Amino acid sequence: MTNMKTGYVIAAAVAIALTGGAAQAAKTDIVIGLQLEPPHLDPTGAAAGAIDQVVYSNVFEGLTRFASDGSIIPGLAKSWEISDDGLSYIFHLNEGVTFHDGSAMDAEDVKFSLDRARAEDSTNAQKALFADIASVEAMDLATVKVTLSKQNGSFLFNMAWGDAVIVAPESIADIKTKPIGTGPFVLSNWVQGDRIELAKNPDYWGSAISLDKATFKFISDPTAAFAAVMAEDVNAFMAFPAPENLPQFDADPRFKVLVGSTEGETILAINNKLPPFDNVKIREAVAHAIDRQAIIDGAMFGYGTPIGTHFAPHNPAYIDLTALSAYDPEKSKALLAEAGFADGFTTTLKLPPPSYARRGGEIIASQLKAVGITVEISNLEWAQWLEQVFRGKDFGLSIVSHTEPMDIGIYGREDYYFQYGKPEFQALMAELNATTDPAERTSILQAAQTMISEDYVNAYLFQLANTGVANAKIEGLWANAPTQAVDLTGVSWTD
Amino acid sequence: MAVSDPSLSEPGLLRQVLRSRSLIIGVVLSALFIGAALVSYVWTPFDAETMNIPNKLKPPNLVHWFGTDHFGRDIFSMIMVGARTSIAVALIAVGIGMLLGVPLGLASAARRGSWLDELIMRGNDLVFAFPALLIAIMITAVFGPSAVNAIIAIGIFNIPVFARLTRGSALSLWTRDYVLSARVAGKGALRISVEHILPNITNLLIVQGTIQFSLGILAEAGLSYVGLGAQPPIPSWGRMLADSQTLITLAPHMALFPGFAILLTVLGLNLMGDGLRDLLDPRLRNARR
């Protein structure tokens, strides 16, 4: 009797173990924490990086796309041919691609999307990407021919941006709240101020994805973000806002910390038209007054790579120019005296909310004070910053991270907020766009990097690190951020 | 000629002070904090604004008694200088409240029931209806965050407190015989208010001033916590707390010391206010015996 009882108990235990094991099949849903909520969901209609973070390659796809290492790989176009003069591109589209509303994605949709983005009244935030397109023709349902007005060596790169995704003509009216793309996820629910839920697109044309459901949860407060990760309310937090907490996550076996590169050149922006900053000696003095390593250690807790120009260090064309603006307060004081400001001067430092700016600003203020430059710090919200600094150009100094990939071209724009726009630089950019040979492009890019560095346009601080934290059992999240995206197509749970 | 309350000259005042334990604790705590602020003008262990980033987040030790913050600044020195910020903001704010509130209250009491009284008191109600921090956020949103705007914001919220207190106590004095005789002697409302009413409500104003002072310190800390008070690099207790927030698991001392500074200062001022009221208000004192 006793033996029989034991037998039952063992059998039951085995049964429990078996069913328990079966129930532990890999999870298929994920909750991703993000700091900023997108204002709407049309990546072709606004600059906000938060839009791309949610929809890029998850909901919307373009002709080409970024891979996790930043290279350009085929997207909706499975292949392309470039004419010998570099002016016409023939894209062969993948077949059997449908939009989330069931309609087929064909060459007409591509033509519509590109024409819409480059139209006169388009609200696309990166219209420069499309500026060289002369015409777009649908040759047949699966072939599109794009003719350029002049050579553009970065055209395929341009087409990979979130601003160049293919949209469905009939969905445009509601695209901001009901995005209809071709991607592996469809929008299922958006609770404004809290979360966006995506569900698997059963009719996805590409290779199968392993997630059934993805939720983006928006937590702007760094303390709350820390708590949410610790409590496992979110499975991963991308661009985690408080780098000081990362060592703690790293030490915890439940989590893994992803540290990668971003396209974010963090700069101390200088208003080049505002006296005394119109004097290059003053700008050079500011550059030499700044100790980059102290800023990286103090504001970013060591996460970040020093840069000496406006270019990402992981790009093959990058040259290290940090020596041009090495930390040298004595030289800085001498330069100030030479420029007639031996007693220093007072200026403003307007800071947007991210901690790299707020903390970095305090450190820079103290470093500039050491050479005699007094800065008055004002902390601004993003909307105020965009209005006063970015559009109003009412600032002396500011700190911001330029997260767009390959954005050195902004130095050619005279009306850009730091107001450089030197004609020689514009000539370099024109030359760059007309060049397709990779070696020549590299040398032009290096000349451009050197020019802005020698002109001390801005003080170049560091390349923002992409610091994320994720559950140790999640695989496939991007460590690097070649564009602002949280690509979930390759993400899976290991058990 | 002022007619003064006899209680202050009563024999045994010192004995009463010594007997009131809360008053002593309050005075000691307040003196400690005012002393720290004063000493900080001539001496702090380190410069409160000098950063030393390789030396960041050090726990309390013999060199840095309260440890260092995330920029390697000495927290003890920052607390001393921060006391200065808190005192200056709270003191000036109380000053604004008294300078504007007391005359308004006196005028209101002198012209009781008139349109002027109505105007002043309804205006006070209006200001009172908004929570103090809301006014502060409103002002700083319009004029930008700075210590000066924080002072103005906290000061404005102090005005109705003093106006009401002054009016209420002045009204009861207006019926006193000595006021009546002054009126018979032909003194005007202004002279009576200044010479007879004001000296007799000074006790109350001092007590209320102490309480408002402690509230002012709390409000300043609250405003700088949300980034609307004194701007960096000027040390302020509220901002020190805000800075420590994401570091609390890594460096709890960064939150503890400014937190205790605020707690002990506000506690001290409140105890002192309570003790002073017991001491200065004869009715209360008699009631307690």
Side-chain angles (χ1 to χ4, degrees):
Chain A
M1 201 58 200
T2 319
N3 280 342
M4 225 166 127
K5 231 181 191 172
T6 318
Y8 277 129
V9 170
I10 290 170
V14 168
I16 288 169
L18 283 176
T19 49
Q24 280 200 344
K27 275 174 77 174
T28 55
D29 63 319
I30 191 170
V31 183
I32 306 266
L34 291 175
Q35 202 180 6
L36 293 178
E37 179 172 21
H40 60 75
L41 294 174
D42 176 12
T44 64
I51 302 175
D52 280 346
Q53 283 188 314
V54 174
V55 301
Y56 186 81
S57 97
N58 296 333
V59 176
F60 285 109
E61 295 168 307
L63 290 174
T64 57
R65 51 162 297 169
F66 289 103
S68 60
D69 61 355
S71 60
I72 304 299
I73 56 172
L76 289 175
K78 63 183 175 201
S79 63
W80 48 80
E81 290 147 28
I82 308 173
S83 65
D84 290 338
D85 61 3
L87 288 180
S88 69
Y89 288 70
I90 293 172
F91 291 100
H92 300 287
L93 305 180
N94 278 302
E95 289 181 41
V97 180
T98 54
F99 283 107
H100 297 159
D101 62 359
S103 63
M105 194 286 304
D106 59 32
E108 285 302 328
D109 295 309
V110 174
K111 176 174 164 52
F112 170 81
S113 300
L114 296 185
D115 284 348
R116 172 173 173 264
R118 67 199 186 95
E120 201 68 36
D121 60 346
S122 146
T123 55
N124 197 294
Q126 303 289 346
K127 280 175 90 169
L129 297 177
F130 313 95
D132 293 337
I133 300 181
S135 69
V136 184
E137 279 169 69
M139 296 172 72
D140 60 50
L141 279 181
T143 318
V144 183
K145 181 179 178 190
V146 178
T147 311
L148 303 184
S149 55
K150 57 174 193 269
Q151 285 194 348
N152 186 335
S154 43
F155 183 66
L156 291 172
F157 171 83
N158 290 355
M159 290 301 105
W161 282 49
D163 305 81
V165 296
I166 304 306
V167 295
E170 60 277 10
S171 73
I172 293 308
D174 291 331
I175 188 170
K176 292 188 172 179
T177 49
K178 293 193 185 71
I180 302 289
T182 54
F185 289 96
V186 293
L187 175 77
S188 63
N189 189 19
W190 181 4
V191 182
Q192 295 219 350
D194 183 44
R195 65 185 189 273
I196 290 178
E197 290 166 13
L198 304 180
K200 187 178 195 164
N201 171 10
D203 305 320
Y204 184 54
W205 61 274
S207 45
I209 53 166
S210 57
L211 294 175
D212 285 335
K213 186 172 182 247
T215 306
F216 287 94
K217 199 154 171 55
F218 306 107
I219 304 173
S220 59
D221 178 55
T223 319
F226 175 70
V229 176
M230 273 312 215
E232 301 189 52
D233 289 341
V234 298
N235 303 125
F237 206 107
M238 307 312 286
F240 190 77
E244 58 269 35
N245 294 138
L246 294 174
Q248 207 171 341
F249 291 135
D250 215 13
D252 192 325
R254 291 180 296 159
F255 308 113
K256 62 179 169 195
V257 171
L258 308 161
V259 180
S261 58
T262 69
E263 296 296 328
E265 292 86 13
T266 311
I267 61 170
L268 173 68
I270 302 176
N271 190 342
N272 278 241
K273 290 262 161 71
L274 180 84
F277 294 123
D278 51 351
N279 184 342
V280 65
K281 285 212 163 58
I282 297 287
R283 299 201 299 265
E284 192 181 348
V286 169
H288 284 298
I290 287 168
D291 180 359
R292 295 187 179 91
Q293 199 54 48
I295 297 169
I296 294 172
D297 289 344
M300 304 308 294
F301 288 76
Y303 295 98
T305 315
I307 51 170
T309 183
H310 197 108
F311 217 71
H314 53 82
N315 191 305
Y318 173 78
I319 39 177
D320 186 355
L321 296 167
T322 45
L324 273 176
S325 45
Y327 176 52
D328 188 350
E330 290 312 313
K331 185 168 182 189
S332 176
K333 280 184 204 159
L335 283 163
L336 282 175
E338 224 177 291
F341 284 94
D343 299 330
F345 58 92
T346 301
T347 187
T348 56
L349 175 57
K350 298 196 169 174
L351 303 173
S355 64
Y356 66 75
R358 293 281 166 91
R359 284 196 183 134
E362 277 194 63
I363 299 171
I364 283 177
S366 116
Q367 291 175 351
L368 290 179
K369 197 177 161 198
V371 299
I373 303 171
T374 310
V375 300
E376 284 161 4
I377 292 179
S378 37
N379 292 335
L380 305 177
E381 293 306 315
W382 272 119
Q384 290 174 303
W385 185 87
L386 285 170
E387 188 191 315
Q388 292 181 25
V389 178
F390 196 73
R391 284 194 287 272
K393 303 175 185 74
D394 173 21
F395 73 107
L397 302 169
S398 180
I399 297 177
V400 74
S401 201
H402 287 259
T403 50
E404 293 80 13
M406 277 294 283
D407 53 357
I408 195 169
I410 55 179
Y411 284 74
R413 292 197 223 160
E414 223 167 308
D415 60 345
Y416 205 62
Y417 75 109
F418 46 73
Q419 307 186 83
Y420 177 61
K422 190 163 139 180
E424 290 89 328
F425 189 87
Q426 292 169 344
L428 269 181
M429 285 298 113
E431 203 189 327
L432 178 72
N433 281 337
T435 311
T436 40
D437 177 57
E440 269 177 65
R441 284 178 64 83
T442 300
S443 70
I444 297 169
L445 281 170
Q446 292 181 340
Q449 292 175 50
T450 313
M451 184 183 286
I452 57 170
S453 186
E454 283 173 345
D455 275 344
Y456 299 96
V457 182
N458 295 309
Y460 304 99
L461 305 175
F462 58 89
Q463 193 73 15
L464 205 60
N466 188 40
T467 49
V469 53
N471 189 299
K473 291 174 187 154
I474 295 176
E475 273 179 358
L477 282 168
W478 288 9
N480 299 327
T483 187
Q484 289 158 317
V486 182
D487 181 353
L488 296 174
T489 49
V491 174
S492 60
W493 290 85
T494 51
D495 71 6
Chain B
M1 263 305 291
V3 181
S4 69
D5 193 297
S7 64
L8 273 174
S9 51
E10 221 173 88
L13 180 73
L14 187 69
R15 205 180 321 139
Q16 281 173 40
V17 171
L18 289 178
R19 207 164 46 204
S20 159
R21 202 174 299 150
S22 68
L23 183 61
I24 293 177
I25 297 175
V27 169
V28 168
L29 284 176
S30 310
L32 205 67
F33 138 80
I34 292 168
L38 291 177
V39 171
S40 79
Y41 280 98
V42 288
W43 176 83
T44 52
F46 291 86
D47 183 280
E49 290 175 20
T50 303
M51 297 179 182
N52 179 4
I53 286 163
N55 198 24
K56 68 182 178 191
L57 299 177
K58 288 272 179 308
N61 54 51
L62 286 176
V63 183
H64 298 281
W65 301 334
F66 286 1
T68 60
D69 75 350
H70 56 308
F71 293 146
R73 291 175 296 196
D74 180 56
I75 293 181
F76 188 78
S77 309
M78 290 176 78
I79 297 238
M80 283 176 75
V81 180
R84 214 150 88 188
T85 318
S86 292
I87 292 189
V89 170
L91 204 62
I92 301 175
V94 171
I96 292 175
M98 277 201 181
L99 278 180
L100 294 174
V102 172
L104 283 176
L106 286 175
S108 207
R111 293 275 176 273
R112 173 154 63 137
S114 74
W115 61 268
L116 181 72
D117 183 22
E118 283 295 318
L119 186 73
I120 292 173
M121 292 329 286
R122 296 299 79 75
N124 275 333
D125 290 346
L126 192 72
V127 179
F128 228 39
F130 289 94
L133 275 176
L134 198 64
I135 299 185
I137 290 169
M138 218 155 68
I139 290 181
T140 47
V142 176
F143 299 105
S146 74
V148 175
N149 288 335
I151 290 174
I152 296 174
I154 303 169
I156 287 182
F157 133 84
N158 274 329
I159 296 174
V161 175
F162 285 102
R164 284 188 168 184
L165 176 76
T166 307
R167 178 176 182 271
S169 32
L171 277 182
S172 66
L173 294 181
W174 271 95
T175 58
R176 294 286 174 87
D177 289 345
Y178 60 84
V179 174
L180 203 61
S181 59
R183 285 171 82 176
V184 171
K187 285 191 181 177
L190 181 67
R191 279 190 70 181
I192 294 176
S193 292
V194 174
E195 291 177 4
H196 299 285
I197 312 273
L198 189 56
N200 283 309
I201 59 169
T202 314
N203 296 346
L204 284 170
L205 291 179
I206 290 174
V207 171
Q208 191 65 39
T210 320
I211 307 279
Q212 291 309 116
F213 187 60
S214 74
L215 288 178
I217 282 169
L218 263 188
E220 193 273 338
L223 283 179
S224 25
Y225 179 79
V226 293
L228 299 175
Q231 293 298 295
I234 307 165
S236 115
W237 294 349
R239 213 185 45 256
M240 289 170 77
L241 270 184
D243 283 344
S244 73
Q245 206 169 310
T246 54
L247 293 159
I248 197 150
T249 47
L250 214 62
H253 66 274
M254 264 185 78
L256 280 180
F257 290 110
F260 271 118
I262 296 172
L263 172 76
L264 293 178
T265 308
V266 172
L267 182 72
L269 285 169
N270 271 306
L271 287 177
M272 189 166 90
D274 270 1
L276 281 177
R277 193 184 56 206
D278 292 354
L279 195 70
L280 297 179
D281 190 329
R283 275 165 305 180
L284 260 180
R285 199 170 64 224
N286 293 336
R288 285 200 182 169
R289 271 192 193 146

